[in-house]
């Protein structure tokens, strides 16, 4: 056996020496190798692309075959356009993650219509209006539009790089009116991974993250709530209290005139485009006092100016404005929140119920948790 192995090894060495002496066919061998590798790569790429086009996880391919395509991804920016285009909805909720716990089914029952919740994690004001604009172009003016407002709408740099978009990829190619340019963006690892997950979910080996109407309870189960952990997320190592500024800062006319809120014209334009047939409701969502502007501070005066500007837009378009983003007992109660910005599911349910009370004519909550700034039509 040892002699046989030695002979085989000698033959390989001799073949290698001969190949080095006679290099005339080496370029041909390399060409054959390169062609084989290129063909293998191109074939694999074609198979992956064909798989993506057939599965069509984002529902943008006009000729993809009919099949269940569950909303399995955490990137709402990629899945909501399909909900708009292929769902049977006439009303919408837009906002960021602080609006995602508003249940469309509840609004269906109380306000009429068919609601979709299109709130996106960390959505900027510009991204929210892109979603509302797409709905308008594809489905027509919404019957009802609820807009969840927070500090993003008071961002004085909302139109600058780093504020228009976040680090999350925004697929603007899904928001235009040309379906054919979508093909340029589908061949990538993320889309392939999503397509595989869609198939696996259809086979019973995945989890549907978003309902057909865009809704999901994205927070942990409420019975797992840990107040001490929440307080650490809310306050960190700071003292658990806020000291108001006395006397309160009052902006001068010149300071007020110098303020700019670039996102407000986008909202104004969207309401004008929707037209008078759309019932619109603005909801300033609650936040912990740990992150609200300190009462009496200049930041608080600036935010109030921002809200007053939103009120003026609301009056022009007959919009109801309900403000939960105030320094109330609810905002001071740490058990309201999972973290400084995100409230618990029972609070979302209260926001819904109290919204209907506000629309019925109530002006404020008995416990001061909210106040109606504008009564619309």
């Amino acid at each position: 056996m040892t002699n046989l192995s030695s002979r085989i090894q000698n033959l390989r060495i001799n073949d290698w020496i001969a190949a080095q002496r006679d290099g005339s066919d080496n370029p041909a061998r390399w060409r054959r190798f390169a062609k084989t590798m290129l063909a293998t790569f191109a074939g694999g790429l074609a198979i992956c692309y064909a798989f993506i086009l057939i599965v069509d996880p984002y529902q943008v391919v006009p000729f993809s075959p009919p099949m269940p395509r569950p909303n399995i991804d955490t990137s709402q920016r990629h899945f909501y356009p399909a909900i708009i285009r292929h769902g049977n909805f006439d009303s919408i909720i837009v906002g960021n993650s602080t609006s995602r716990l508003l249940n469309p089914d509840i609004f269906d029952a109380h306000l009429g219509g068919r609601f979709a919740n299109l709130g996106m994690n960390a959505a900027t004001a510009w991204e929210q209006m892109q979603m509302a604009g797409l709905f308008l172009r594809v489905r027509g003016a919404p019957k009802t539009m609820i807009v969840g407002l927070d500090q993003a709408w008071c961002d004085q740099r909302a139109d600058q790089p780093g504020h228009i978009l976040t680090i999350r990829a925004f697929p603007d190619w899904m928001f235009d009116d040309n379906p054919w340019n979508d093909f340029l963006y589908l061949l990538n690892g993320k889309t392939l991974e999503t397509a595989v997950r869609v198939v696996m979910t259809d086979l019973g080996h995945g989890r549907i993250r978003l309902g057909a109407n865009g809704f999901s309870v994205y927070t942990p189960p409420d019975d797992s709530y840990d107040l001490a952990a929440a307080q650490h997320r809310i306050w960190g190592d700071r003292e658990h209290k806020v000291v108001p500024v006395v006397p309160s800062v009052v902006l001068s006319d010149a300071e007020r005139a110098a303020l700019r809120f670039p996102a407000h014209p986008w909202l104004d334009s969207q309401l004008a485009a929707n037209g008078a047939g759309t019932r619109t409701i603005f909801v300033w969502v609650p936040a912990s006092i740990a992150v609200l502007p300190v009462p009496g501070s200049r930041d608080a005066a600036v935010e109030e100016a921002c809200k007053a500007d939103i009120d003026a837009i609301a009056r022009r378009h007959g919009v109801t404005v309900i403000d939960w983003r105030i320094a109330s007992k609810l905002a001071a109660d740490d058990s309201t929140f999972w973290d400084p910005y995100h409230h618990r599911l029972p609070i979302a349910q209260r926001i819904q119920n109290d919204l209907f009370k506000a629309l019925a004519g109530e002006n404020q909550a008995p416990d001061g948790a909210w106040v109606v700034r504008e009564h619309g039509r």
Side-chain angles (χ1 to χ4, degrees), residues 98-248:
T98 59
S99 300
R100 286 188 59 197
L101 291 180
L102 298 178
N103 190 337
D105 292 339
I106 301 300
F107 291 101
D108 290 353
H110 284 79
L111 299 183
R114 299 175 301 278
F115 276 82
N117 189 326
L118 305 176
M120 299 180 289
N121 292 350
T124 65
W126 183 85
E127 289 177 317
Q128 294 173 42
M129 290 301 95
Q130 299 311 298
M131 199 66 69
L134 178 63
F135 190 94
L136 175 65
R137 296 197 310 275
V138 173
R139 312 300 303 183
K143 179 180 178 181
T144 304
M145 183 171 76
I146 298 172
V147 183
L149 302 174
D150 68 351
Q151 69 274 9
W153 287 93
C154 295
D155 184 356
Q156 297 189 67
R157 297 181 293 171
D159 58 348
Q160 297 180 18
H163 297 257
I164 292 179
L165 297 174
T166 69
I167 59 173
R168 292 169 171 79
F170 185 83
D172 52 359
W173 47 276
M174 287 187 179
F175 288 78
D176 62 25
D177 299 320
N178 178 14
W180 300 104
N181 66 357
D182 297 354
F183 291 86
L184 301 173
Y185 302 94
L186 290 175
L187 185 56
N188 57 70
K190 178 61 177 175
T191 307
L192 179 60
E193 175 193 351
T194 303
V196 171
R197 289 173 57 198
V198 165
V199 172
M200 294 302 293
T201 301
D202 282 341
L203 295 175
H205 301 291
R207 182 163 68 93
I208 299 175
R209 296 179 180 272
L210 298 171
N213 59 5
F215 177 69
S216 67
V217 178
Y218 69 95
T219 55
D222 208 66
D223 57 11
S224 70
Y225 183 77
D226 183 333
L227 177 59
Q231 287 178 320
H232 182 71
R233 288 189 291 268
I234 292 169
W235 296 99
D237 296 327
R238 292 186 294 157
E239 188 177 3
H240 295 190
K241 70 176 184 179
V242 173
V243 179
V245 174
V246 180
S248 297

Side-chain angles (χ1 to χ4, degrees), residues 15 19 24 35 46 56 60 62 92 105 168 176 185 208 281 297 301 311 315 317 333 352 357 362 369:
D15 288 342
S24 59
K35 288 180 180 179
D56 187 18
V60 296
I92 55 172
D105 292 339
R168 292 169 171 79
D176 62 25
Y185 302 94
I208 299 175
I281 305 160
S297 67
D311 291 345
R315 284 193 295 275
H317 298 282
D333 183 356
Q352 292 168 169
K357 295 177 183 177
E362 291 192 21

Side-chain angles (χ1 to χ4, degrees), residues 7 41 43 51 88-89 114 185 232 236 239 249-250 261 363:
R7 290 177 182 177
F41 175 76
F51 178 73
N88 184 28
F89 303 106
R114 299 175 301 278
Y185 302 94
H232 182 71
E239 188 177 3
V249 174
V250 177
F261 303 110
N363 290 317

